[in-house]
Amino acid sequence: MPEKTRSNSGMIMARTIAVTVVLVLLTIFALVPIWVLVVNATRSSVDITGKGVSLIPGLNFIENIKTLSSWTSEGKVEFNAFRGYINSGVISLCATGLTVLFSVMTAYGLVVYDFKLRKVAYTIIIAVMMVPVQVTSVGFYKFMLSIGLTDTYWPLIIPAIAAPAIVFFMRQSMKSTFPLEIVEAARIDGCGEYRTFFTIGIPMMKPAIAVQAIFAFVANWNNYYTPSMILISRKRTQLTLPMMVNTIVSNDKLADYGAKYLAIMLSIIPVVIVYFIFSKFIVEGVALGGVKE
Amino acid sequence: MKHKTISYAKFGYLFILPFFIVYLFFQVYPLFYTFYLSTQSNGSQTTSSVGLDNFKIILSGTPIIDEAKTAENKANGDDTIAYKVQKRSSESTMKDFRRVLGNTFLLWIGNFIPQIIISLLLAAWFTDAYLKIKGKGFYKIVMYMPNIITAASVAALFVMLFSDSKLGAINSWLANHGYEVVPFVSGKTQSRVMIMIIQTWMWFGNTTIMLMSGIMGINPSLFEAANIDGASPRQQFFRITLPLLRPILLYTVVTSMIGGLQMYDMPALYNMGTSQNRYTETIAVYIFNNFHNSMAPNLGYSAAASVILFFITAILGAIAFRVNNEDGDQKVRKGNQALKIKLGGN
């Protein structure tokens, strides 16, 4: 029936066009705030406060960089992009490294070895996966205060060793992709258990490790709650980038809006770069299992 | 050959040991410490035991009577004043707690409903084999992007754009075009709606991708059969996709709710200056501000609120876990049945 096919394909065309229009609108919705941020970082303060929103970049980018760096060098603000990159980078990289190494190790222990408490251990990990950080933060804060670890990076880095959600995903992917025979074979060849883990286990888990590392890095970089809880004294040299952004925006005495927008932009550049390099992995990783903050 | 088997169980324990040590030290102990602190007094760093009074106060506003003081006041002839003061303070604490609980729920539902509608539509379209959408990958990447951007910076950006005074970009535009300036950041309804919109903006891409993977798990032959039988896209969506997606939808609702209970960055930072907006103060902000006050921390109230949050999360988590573990075959069977009944009855 050629006629029916034609009307059908017409219907499909019409639907495709309608759907595409909605998709384009939602794409604009997703992009506009970020575009406005970039545009405002290139405009002069007078232009921003005088004309309001604009979608066309200005010519004040260099000027804004100069203003922002003069604030930093004169000590007017706690914002120091370079410092912020180092602080946030150190915390995020250390925490991410610990998270993936110990998560893959825990998952390996749960998958490869058969021991009495294996089921219990796994059940505990699942049970604690959803406990929100806010629930334990009063006790955590008081505890850190009493052992003198506030105003240090330790409480932001060491707890990363125990990341139940990441252990869960590592175990799932190891269960489906990791051949246990290879461990047997290594044993027969006289390879020790630790060596097997480091020379066979980790390399075989590389794809899963990469995905979880990206998520862990972004989550740590974006974390505002824990650093603002632990770094009580708000020492200039210790602040993470998101904290610096907050101090610059809530400071009413600074009137140069272009420079303020530039500060916000600088704080998100690293995650945006990471995102564009790894976006394919990230989207796939989200699809694999509800990754929620 | 039994006697030759070497037990490797020891290595299993060694591999999972670091996780559990750190977990015990940095999570389990603080959790019990929080439970303990919820039975302690408020107002200073050094605390004394008050039993379950904190829970009584924040949940029901019951005034706590100081026996010794009451007796002393009675001797002085004014036994009602102290009681009245105590009652008023208990009631205001209870009202504060109810307010933040209400705010939390309102902000969550207000961002979840638009988010789930948009995401369901998008997920259905992206997985529809008969639609010829070009650049699906591009759309997904762009729509997920807001989720990856630092929430604290997003809050800062929106405060700058929507600032109440004429200095905010949007308000300066409004003022230039002869409109009234709108208190987007401090107004009651305005600030709430803004946070709902920002949260929707941040999360709709994430929810879309999660729902898509759910829809892709549905047996494609169901859609093919429906197509041959001449079911319209609308019929297919409501009679195949939605019923079969039910467990995943429920899972999404519950996990989103758990996430919503933890909403902190946006409500804490989307403020004018440094004072917290009362209308957008969530339970997470309440907990933080009560214990993170160097002058007079209300550790007791903060910990009691944490304990309540813990139990709410535990219940929700148990639901999510059960839904997630429902037998896969059963899901498909149920779906097939639903399909038969619904299409057959048409």
Side-chain angles (χ1 to χ4, degrees), chain B residues 165-178:
Chain B
S165 70
K166 277 185 201 163
L167 295 175
I170 304 291
N171 270 326
S172 95
W173 186 89
L174 286 176
N176 285 347
H177 290 75

Side-chain angles (χ1 to χ4, degrees), chain B residues 245-299:
Chain B
L245 208 55
R246 229 193 56 201
I248 289 157
L249 269 178
L250 192 55
Y251 182 75
T252 311
V253 173
V254 176
T255 48
S256 157
M257 220 170 183
I258 295 174
L261 284 171
Q262 304 169 42
M263 203 191 293
Y264 177 82
D265 292 5
M266 210 49 72
L269 297 176
Y270 186 72
N271 284 300
M272 291 301 286
T274 45
S275 63
Q276 173 63 40
N277 177 350
R278 291 168 49 80
Y279 307 116
T280 58
E281 185 179 0
T282 57
I283 186 164
V285 177
Y286 176 86
I287 291 174
F288 187 90
N289 287 347
N290 266 312
F291 80 77
H292 209 271
N293 179 335
S294 52
M295 303 308 282
N298 287 326
L299 293 171

Side-chain angles (χ1 to χ4, degrees), chain A:
Chain A
M1 284 175 285
E3 249 169 66
K4 198 182 173 194
T5 324
R6 208 181 304 139
S7 77
N8 242 351
S9 71
M11 273 269 288
I12 289 171
M13 265 297 278
R15 273 192 72 221
T16 307
I17 291 168
V19 165
T20 310
V21 169
V22 179
L23 288 179
V24 169
L25 288 177
L26 283 171
T27 307
I28 293 171
F29 172 63
L31 281 178
V32 152
I34 300 162
W35 179 243
V36 170
L37 170 64
V38 174
V39 165
N40 281 358
T42 64
R43 296 167 75 198
S44 69
S45 193
V46 180
D47 193 23
I48 297 169
T49 49
K51 292 196 199 127
V53 264
S54 164
L55 295 173
I56 304 147
L59 299 166
N60 227 47
F61 188 58
I62 307 289
E63 206 55 41
N64 288 341
I65 293 179
K66 280 184 196 155
T67 310
L68 187 61
S69 52
S70 77
W71 286 349
T72 304
S73 56
E74 285 162 27
K76 277 188 188 162
V77 278
E78 270 99 79
F79 188 90
N80 179 344
F82 186 64
R83 252 278 140 232
Y85 285 138
I86 291 182
N87 291 350
S88 285
V90 165
I91 296 172
S92 307
L93 287 177
C94 293
T96 304
L98 290 178
T99 294
V100 289
L101 174 65
F102 285 97
S103 297
V104 77
M105 195 166 139
T106 312
Y108 185 87
L110 289 172
V111 171
V112 170
Y113 300 102
D114 196 6
F115 51 99
K116 229 192 216 159
L117 294 177
R118 171 154 87 162
K119 257 207 136 154
V120 179
Y122 180 58
T123 313
I124 292 175
I125 289 173
I126 290 183
V128 299
M129 215 162 70
M130 284 182 181
V131 176
V133 38
Q134 281 83 3
V135 164
T136 55
S137 55
V138 192
F140 186 72
Y141 168 76
K142 276 287 276 178
F143 180 36
M144 291 304 122
L145 212 56
S146 67
I147 57 174
L149 284 184
T150 48
D151 285 326
T152 70
Y153 285 166
W154 298 114
L156 308 175
I157 293 172
I158 302 297
I161 290 174
I166 294 180
V167 173
F168 176 77
F169 289 117
M170 291 277 190
R171 183 186 169 275
Q172 296 292 85
S173 86
M174 202 175 254
K175 273 244 152 186
S176 57
T177 61
F178 190 75
L180 291 177
E181 298 79 22
I182 210 165
V183 179
E184 282 301 327
R187 271 177 201 155
I188 292 165
D189 289 346
C191 185
E193 295 303 308
Y194 299 112
R195 211 176 129 205
T196 311
F197 170 67
F198 282 107
T199 56
I200 300 173
I202 288 187
M204 285 194 75
M205 291 305 292
K206 257 188 197 157
I209 291 175
V211 171
Q212 295 306 332
I214 297 164
F215 279 109
F217 178 82
V218 171
N220 277 298
W221 185 280
N222 288 347
N223 191 355
Y224 176 79
Y225 187 83
T226 330
S228 67
M229 169 168 80
I230 293 300
L231 306 174
I232 308 172
S233 308
R234 300 282 190 271
K235 280 185 206 132
R236 241 162 235 244
T237 49
Q238 273 193 331
L239 295 184
T240 65
L241 214 42
M243 294 171 83
M244 289 180 176
V245 167
N246 185 38
T247 63
I248 208 171
V249 170
S250 56
N251 190 337
D252 299 333
K253 286 178 202 132
L254 304 170
D256 195 305
Y257 283 69
K260 282 187 170 186
Y261 281 107
L262 177 67
I264 302 175
M265 192 181 104
L266 289 177
S267 77
I268 65 169
I269 282 178
V271 273
V272 171
I273 291 174
V274 167
Y275 184 60
F276 280 111
I277 297 174
F278 300 111
S279 57
K280 234 187 116 199
F281 290 107
I282 292 175
V283 170
E284 271 167 24
V286 176
L288 273 181
V291 181
K292 285 246 158 189
E293 283 201 285

Side-chain angles (χ1 to χ4, degrees), chain B residues 147-176:
Chain B
N147 196 251
I148 214 101
I149 291 176
T150 322
S153 300
V154 170
L157 168 64
F158 278 88
V159 169
M160 297 274 295
L161 289 175
F162 287 88
S163 173
D164 286 357
S165 70
K166 277 185 201 163
L167 295 175
I170 304 291
N171 270 326
S172 95
W173 186 89
L174 286 176
N176 285 347

